[in-house]
Amino acid sequence: MKPPEPGPTRRRVAIGAAGVAVLIGSIDAYVLVSVQVDMIDEFDIPVNHLERATPLVTGYLLGYTAGMPLLGRLSDRFGRKVVIYACLVAFTIGSVVSATATELVPLVAGRALQGLAGGALLPVTMALAAGAVLMVTLVDVQLLAQTLHGLDSAGGVPLLMWFLAGLPVGALVGGFLASRFGERVPAVLGFAAAAAAYFWIARAVPDIEPALSLAGAALGITIAPLSSAALRTTPEGSHGTASAVVVVARMMGMLVGVAALTSWSLHRFQASTADLDTPLPFGIPEAEYLELQADYIDALDAALATQYAEVFTAAAVICLAAALVALGIPGRVRARSSSLTRGR
């Protein structure tokens, strides 16, 4: 016997609770970005060994990616409520470990546990993150704010908000377009607009605020059609697993994007600054030293601006490739119930 459908009030409460869970998981996934420079200083990580700070980001993402398929499948088997309760408890434990850690290893372990538990919050409640370009944007915009604009970690947040504010707006537009025209149109439109936005950002560095808003809205447009296309091709009993697969693909994009583009950009930065001589205040007049120091800082800023422009150009190329792939998404599927009824 089929269980009764939940009433409107209960359904709204469930959606609201799921939204809170997604909000917690999403905030924690990206909160580290705003304080990463401060944490690098806190753990005495030298500038020429920034790869030591990579686990601060990838530890969470690896746990996220590993937990999502398993927990998505468990939610199909045992129900969403049981899995989400268990994961919220584990998420809390990981948060306590991370908050109280005074060394790098326990902090990374706590972040990995948060990621493992947080991996169930999104597939179970059907919220999606953006792909590799999302993580690249979150990381590089904060770094740009603190290096080229001279802001601290808190001061860089308003710049990042130009991007983040566009995501929910784009998601609403993408959902509307997907319901009216099918998944292909908003997916192609969103990725193509994102490519244009990132080309704009690359040309506008360091004044990137309007272009960031367009990038956020464009990536937001792609959220609904991609998840809808995945669910439409799977049976209802496997929706948890299907949503997990979609998000795992995007989280893998984040991991690859952060690793590849960070390594490449650091290599490019070191190559472009290899011939710069650090001025020293010895054996020369103070006025000459200050002039040399100013020229040195200008050269570093120019190298940083070039590095950021190249990273955002790479993000634009990724979006352009995604737009081409999105052309392969099946077109709008019309309801067939009426035709089947008439055929009987």
Side-chain angles (χ1 to χ4, degrees):
M1 181 177 179
K2 186 177 181 180
E5 292 291 331
T9 301
R10 185 177 178 183
R11 188 178 294 120
R12 284 194 291 268
V13 171
I15 292 175
V20 172
V22 171
L23 177 64
I24 294 172
S26 299
I27 289 175
D28 196 79
Y30 312 125
V31 69
L32 191 68
V33 174
S34 62
V35 294
Q36 59 183 342
V37 175
D38 296 332
M39 297 186 75
I40 288 172
D41 292 337
E42 180 72 22
F43 290 108
D44 297 323
I45 298 175
V47 177
N48 59 337
H49 287 289
L50 290 178
E51 69 277 2
R52 297 178 186 174
T54 302
L56 292 173
V57 177
T58 57
Y60 186 95
L61 295 180
L62 284 171
Y64 213 84
T65 304
M68 210 169 288
L70 172 62
L71 296 171
R73 180 57 183 161
L74 288 177
S75 72
D76 289 332
R77 178 73 182 274
F78 300 107
R80 319 299 187 205
K81 185 185 297 185
V82 173
V83 173
I84 202 169
Y85 282 166
C87 289
L88 283 173
V89 171
F91 188 87
T92 302
I93 295 173
S95 299
V96 172
V97 173
S98 299
T100 57
T102 57
E103 296 182 359
L104 187 61
V105 173
L107 175 59
V108 172
R111 292 288 295 167
L113 179 57
Q114 285 179 304
L116 182 63
L121 299 181
L122 293 189
V124 171
T125 55
M126 276 313 303
L128 298 173
V133 289
L134 172 62
M135 183 56 71
V136 169
T137 304
L138 293 172
V139 172
D140 280 76
V141 167
Q142 185 64 233
L143 290 175
L144 185 150
Q146 296 184 43
T147 53
L148 296 185
H149 289 291
L151 302 173
D152 58 14
S153 56
V157 173
L159 180 62
L160 194 59
M161 286 301 298
W162 284 81
F163 174 78
L164 296 177
L167 283 172
V169 176
L172 292 174
V173 174
F176 172 78
L177 293 175
S179 65
R180 294 292 301 271
F181 305 107
E183 294 92 358
R184 181 195 298 163
V185 171
V188 173
L189 176 64
F191 281 122
Y198 280 105
F199 278 125
W200 182 10
I201 292 173
R203 292 176 60 87
V205 171
D207 302 316
I208 60 175
E209 289 87 346
L212 272 180
S213 294
L214 175 59
L219 287 178
I221 290 175
T222 67
I223 293 175
L226 295 184
S227 58
S228 175
L231 295 180
R232 182 163 54 84
T233 58
T234 57
E236 184 177 354
S238 300
H239 280 180
T241 303
S243 61
V245 170
V246 174
V247 185
V248 163
R250 294 184 178 181
M251 299 306 289
M252 288 300 296
M254 290 182 178
L255 284 168
V256 173
V258 169
L261 291 181
T262 299
S263 299
W264 174 64
S265 62
L266 284 174
H267 170 73
R268 293 283 295 155
F269 177 74
Q270 291 173 354
S272 62
T273 58
D275 296 330
L276 292 180
D277 294 325
T278 305
L280 299 174
F282 305 117
I284 57 175
E286 181 179 0
E288 183 180 353
Y289 165 71
L290 293 176
E291 182 178 354
L292 290 174
Q293 185 181 44
D295 292 340
Y296 177 75
I297 293 175
D298 289 342
L300 285 180
D301 287 345
L304 285 170
T306 300
Q307 171 195 338
Y308 294 134
E310 290 178 349
V311 169
F312 289 125
T313 299
V317 173
I318 293 172
C319 290
L320 193 59
L324 295 176
V325 173
L327 289 172
I329 295 177
R332 183 179 181 183
V333 178
R334 300 182 180 275
R336 292 178 288 179
S337 57
S338 58
S339 61
L340 292 174
T341 303
R342 287 194 298 268
R344 291 179 179 176

